[in-house]
């Protein structure tokens, strides 16, 4: 199963060549690119707790979409684009990375989409998809201890905070050294 559907406002789907073309086509129009295709990638507030620094080059977004296609084909990860129904603007992404008997999730979204519950809904959908897969017993995510918004997303999606992971992952925009993170999970 590759498609995960949400309620009528949004659709989660496998990124397509259309998404790659959109990022490349909009590369020449910086304002449109920032607003419609990976606006979060260039926003320091959005990338604060991500593992990569903000980009100012739209080609980076096109390369990311090409990576999405490669990891789908290899089975390394499932990356879904989340778009508004009736609008071809890519507004957010969520990724599931299978590892043995579990799946790790991560996500990013435009600042304009913060606080509207869409990512919580997407996390729930991906959890349901993952736990329905054969031999998957656990879905987890880690979040910087200072990122209270993502903590709420994971809690509202039904995940339980298990423990603190000290010096767990690099978030170069938040701190020069790897910060602590909370591990969230759901299992069956």
């Amino acid at each position: 199963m590759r498609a995960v559907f949400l309620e009528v406002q949004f659709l989660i789907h496998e990124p397509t060549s259309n998404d790659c073309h959109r990022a490349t086509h909009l590369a020449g129009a910086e304002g449109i690119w920032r607003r419609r295709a990976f606006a979060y990638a260039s926003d320091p507030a959005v990338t604060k707790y991500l593992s990569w620094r903000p980009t100012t080059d739209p080609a980076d977004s096109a390369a990311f979409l090409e990576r999405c296609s490669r990891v789908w084909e290899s089975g390394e990860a499932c990356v879904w684009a989340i778009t508004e129904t009736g609008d071809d603007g890519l507004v957010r992404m969520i990724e599931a990375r299978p590892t043995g008997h579990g799946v790790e999730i991560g996500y990013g979204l435009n600042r304009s989409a913060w606080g509207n519950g869409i990512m919580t809904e997407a996390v729930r959908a991906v959890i349901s998809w993952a736990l329905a897969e054969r031999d998957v017993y656990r879905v987890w995510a880690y979040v910087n201890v200072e990122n209270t918004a993502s903590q709420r997303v994971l809690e509202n999606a039904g995940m339980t905070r298990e423990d603190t992971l000290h010096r767990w992952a690099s978030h170069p925009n938040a701190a020069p050294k790897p910060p602590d993170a909370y591990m969230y999970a759901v299992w069956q």
Side-chain angles (χ1 to χ4, degrees):
M1 175 194 297
R2 287 189 167 195
V4 178
F5 296 94
L6 298 176
E7 294 180 2
V8 289
Q9 297 172 303
F10 292 85
L11 172 66
I12 298 181
H13 59 90
E14 178 181 350
T16 65
S17 58
N18 244 2
D19 295 316
C20 294
H21 171 72
R22 190 174 306 120
T24 304
H25 174 71
L26 295 175
E30 183 176 283
I32 295 172
W33 173 76
R34 283 192 173 168
R35 194 171 64 250
R36 305 281 309 260
F38 284 82
Y40 65 89
S42 62
D43 186 337
V46 172
T47 60
K48 180 176 182 179
Y49 299 112
L50 299 178
S51 60
W52 41 272
R53 296 198 184 278
T55 181
T56 56
D57 186 354
D60 291 341
S61 291
F64 173 75
L65 288 168
E66 290 167 7
R67 174 214 168 259
C68 293
S69 181
R70 282 194 312 276
V71 298
W72 265 108
E73 293 304 315
S74 71
E76 180 183 338
C78 301
V79 187
W80 290 277
I82 307 170
T83 55
E84 292 188 52
T85 304
D87 183 2
D88 66 355
L90 183 61
V91 294
R92 11 190 125 45
M93 302 287 291
I94 187 166
E95 180 169 344
R97 295 174 288 277
T99 57
H101 67 281
V103 173
E104 178 185 3
I105 61 171
Y107 50 83
L109 64 156
N110 298 17
R111 190 187 323 200
S112 64
W114 289 358
N116 65 14
I118 295 303
M119 193 51 72
T120 298
E121 197 174 335
V123 169
R124 281 187 192 130
V126 172
I127 288 170
S128 293
W129 165 82
L131 292 176
E133 292 294 300
R134 187 173 165 233
D135 297 327
V136 172
Y137 300 97
R138 177 181 172 84
V139 179
W140 72 89
Y142 67 86
V143 59
N144 185 299
V145 295
E146 295 178 2
N147 189 349
T148 57
S150 275
Q151 292 168 36
R152 278 192 310 275
V153 165
L154 299 174
E155 290 164 0
N156 289 338
M159 298 181 102
T160 300
R161 185 166 79 189
E162 294 183 313
D163 210 342
T164 302
L165 306 169
H166 300 287
R167 299 291 190 197
W168 180 250
S170 177
H171 297 126
N173 306 310
K177 296 179 181 177
D180 292 348
Y182 292 133
M183 174 63 73
Y184 281 84
V186 62
W187 55 89
Q188 60 181 8

